[in-house]
Amino acid sequence: MSSEAFPDIPVIPFEGPDSRNPLAFKHYDKEEVIGGKPMKDHFRFGMAYWHTMRNPLADPFGPGTSQKPWDDGTDSVENAVKRVDVAFEFMQKTGIDFYCFHDRDVAPEGATLKESNESLDRVADALESKQKETGIKLLWGTACLFAHPRYNQGAATSPYAEVFAYAGAQVKKALEVTHRLGGEGYTFWGGREGYSTLWNTNLKQELEHLAAFLHMAVDHARKIGFTGQFYIEPKPREPSTHQYDSDSAACLNFLREHDLLDHLKLNIETNHATLAGHSMMHELEVAMAAGALGSIDANTGDELIGWDTDQFPTNIYLTTQIMLCLLKMGGFTTGGLNFDAKPRRESFEPVDLFHAHIGGMDAFARGLKVAHAIREDGRLDQFVADRYSSYDSGIGAKIQGREVGFEQLEAHVLSQGEPSIPSGRQEMLENLINEFI
Ligand code: XUL
Ligand code: CO
């Protein structure tokens, strides 16, 4: 490998569960076939450029600590281009096949849109050639519509039409670059598409503007021949007090109301789910019920801190739940598991980036094995199927088929009397899951 960014770190090998080497996979064996598919195709792991390559690891109380010896600390295009080599060296060494980026993670924002676009094109040249060289692919692209001060009151939901226009121009370019790089998707996450106070906010108008914006994106994709999947990523707050895409249910309602459900799926992030007061499994199930689970931002939060800590997922119970959902869905098509996660501020050395990703990948490998075993065992699925079996015949089948109304239900109850129902058996099922973990 030509780059020198991680000279002491080899391509991470699979050494199996008995290995004590921190720079080895214990469970993630890329080509191992589970349920008819190699592990790598179940996961389609992605590296988040903004965290792994750019996050300085600052927190609200102190500056960044992250050591990035390859980075000269400037906002130059040359530095941005050099970073591309590092990103691909990192992905090759960890065996990550996809990446995701915001326009402003990969290339600097200039004084004008024209300047920004030219920088982005120059970095895209480098990304394109590295993709060709390595076979690594772009899972999705996005535009950063939340960092620049112009977006401090929103982008598509800004009260100022000039800002809406700027955001549209920026997304146009980000979409074109995503298309040029063969991106399999394009994500909208509206960090500032919400409000800080309702006293100054016309909520209805802002929602209509957001819908108009997304329709413009869909139209432009059609125009340039981009056939990748659009995603919207729910998050309830932070930085906004309230974000309009607050959770899966709110996103689905918004998409349906504005005729966008055929064009966007959801990109569900664990830490956003818990910030919304839901479990990740809840958010996934809600999205799946609408046939709209597209992709996953794989991370986890610290429930004691209570903000978006974007930690690497290491909890096997969590990865098992996620993989059970994905197996039930039949796996990803365009989406993947993007590690939207960063090491802690205390973990500032380059090798910590490796430990973090290895840990996440191993946690998902174990989650997959456990989830697959639970499905093969069949008792969980059978329990659920049995629990609803009264809808398979008799009055249940008529309800399911919408063949009866309240009058028939009344007649049924008058003839049958009080129903007798079995236990929900939560504890038994929790024990069953633990048999496999
Ligand atoms: C922020 C977040 C974003 C999106 C992409 O909480 O998750 O990084 O994933 O804009
Ligand atoms: Co995210």
Side-chain angles (χ1 to χ4, degrees):
M1 214 163 291
S2 62
S3 174
E4 298 287 327
F6 310 105
D8 302 329
I9 300 174
V11 171
I12 304 301
F14 169 73
E15 291 184 357
D18 294 332
S19 167
R20 294 295 172 261
N21 174 7
L23 293 175
F25 293 113
K26 317 292 188 301
H27 301 278
Y28 180 61
D29 185 4
K30 222 176 175 178
E31 301 297 342
E32 184 184 339
V33 174
I34 307 247
K37 202 156 80 168
M39 278 201 196
K40 66 174 173 24
D41 297 339
H42 280 281
F43 302 128
R44 294 164 52 89
F45 287 126
M47 182 202 79
Y49 211 97
W50 54 98
H51 282 311
T52 305
M53 297 315 302
R54 301 308 310 277
N55 200 309
L57 306 183
D59 72 16
F61 298 91
T65 55
S66 163
Q67 295 171 354
K68 293 186 165 55
W70 56 84
D71 198 301
D72 68 18
T74 68
D75 237 352
S76 72
V77 181
E78 292 68 35
N79 194 25
V81 167
K82 262 193 281 161
R83 238 184 248 128
V84 171
D85 286 345
V86 182
F88 280 75
E89 180 190 345
F90 181 82
M91 289 186 275
Q92 280 189 293
K93 286 185 168 174
T94 47
I96 290 178
D97 296 326
F98 294 90
Y99 70 109
C100 301
F101 68 75
H102 302 84
D103 48 2
R104 304 306 182 233
D105 314 324
V106 292
E109 173 135 20
T112 62
L113 181 69
K114 185 165 177 287
E115 215 179 280
S116 303
N117 287 353
E118 283 165 5
S119 298
L120 188 50
D121 282 333
R122 280 180 59 195
V123 179
D125 291 341
L127 291 167
E128 188 171 35
S129 84
K130 274 289 174 185
Q131 284 185 209
K132 282 208 181 103
E133 186 190 316
T134 62
I136 289 168
K137 293 185 205 147
L138 178 60
L139 188 63
W140 48 260
T142 186
C144 177
L145 301 180
F146 45 88
H148 192 282
R150 87 173 69 83
Y151 298 127
N152 72 65
Q153 292 166 65
T157 63
S158 170
Y160 312 111
E162 297 298 331
V163 176
F164 183 106
Y166 211 110
Q170 193 179 325
V171 169
K172 173 179 182 288
K173 182 66 182 178
L175 192 54
E176 287 165 2
V177 169
T178 299
H179 181 43
R180 172 188 163 187
L181 294 174
E184 299 189 14
Y186 185 93
T187 293
F188 290 93
W189 169 67
R192 298 195 194 272
E193 310 295 27
Y195 57 80
S196 177
T197 172
L198 283 170
W199 294 127
N200 65 10
T201 302
N202 184 333
L203 182 141
K204 185 173 170 14
Q205 199 176 357
E206 290 198 4
L207 283 167
E208 280 162 7
H209 291 170
L210 184 57
F213 194 86
L214 295 177
H215 274 291
M216 287 181 201
V218 169
D219 291 345
H220 193 66
R222 195 171 292 134
K223 197 162 190 177
I224 64 176
F226 174 73
T227 54
Q229 178 64 50
F230 280 110
Y231 308 110
I232 187 163
E233 182 178 323
K235 182 174 183 182
R237 68 188 82 85
E238 199 197 303
S240 300
T241 306
H242 173 82
Q243 271 175 224
Y244 295 132
D245 56 9
S246 54
D247 64 4
S248 287
C251 284
L252 290 169
N253 180 59
F254 170 81
L255 294 174
R256 246 184 227 114
E257 180 178 351
H258 296 282
D259 222 1
L260 285 158
L261 200 48
D262 287 345
H263 305 292
L264 284 96
K265 287 186 172 175
L266 305 190
N267 179 37
I268 309 287
E269 177 166 326
T270 316
N271 206 161
H272 297 180
T274 49
L275 279 174
H278 302 307
S279 69
M280 179 62 166
M281 198 173 177
H282 166 91
E283 286 294 83
L284 295 174
E285 289 280 350
V286 171
M288 279 161 58
L293 173 58
S295 199
I296 288 178
D297 269 10
N299 66 11
T300 196
D302 184 324
E303 281 162 28
L304 298 178
I305 292 185
W307 73 60
D308 193 13
T309 55
D310 282 342
Q311 290 172 226
F312 276 82
T314 54
N315 182 331
I316 314 295
Y317 213 88
L318 169 70
T319 57
T320 296
Q321 289 175 323
I322 294 174
M323 294 317 298
L324 273 172
C325 288
L326 281 176
L327 291 176
K328 184 162 88 177
M329 186 176 85
F332 286 125
T333 47
T334 53
L337 288 167
N338 168 46
F339 286 117
D340 191 355
K342 61 185 177 190
R344 297 307 79 204
R345 188 166 182 267
E346 295 88 334
S347 310
F348 47 77
E349 293 179 14
V351 70
D352 289 308
L353 292 171
F354 283 86
H355 295 151
H357 286 78
I358 290 168
M361 293 160 83
D362 261 349
F364 269 102
R366 287 192 67 187
L368 170 61
K369 287 179 194 168
V370 172
H372 178 65
I374 291 170
R375 286 171 60 86
E376 289 286 286
D377 170 79
R379 277 176 291 158
L380 182 66
D381 282 347
Q382 192 58 54
F383 183 89
V384 178
D386 288 348
R387 191 163 182 243
Y388 294 86
S389 59
S390 62
Y391 288 94
D392 294 343
S393 59
I395 190 72
K398 288 187 182 139
I399 295 170
Q400 190 85 20
R402 301 207 180 171
E403 292 159 29
V404 288
F406 283 168
E407 283 174 10
Q408 289 84 351
L409 297 185
E410 182 187 54
H412 179 81
V413 171
L414 288 173
S415 75
Q416 298 298 311
E418 187 62 27
S420 105
I421 60 167
S423 160
R425 299 259 187 270
Q426 177 169 337
E427 296 76 9
M428 184 192 84
L429 296 174
E430 287 166 345
N431 297 349
L432 186 156
I433 299 294
N434 279 355
E435 277 180 38
F436 293 87
I437 292 180

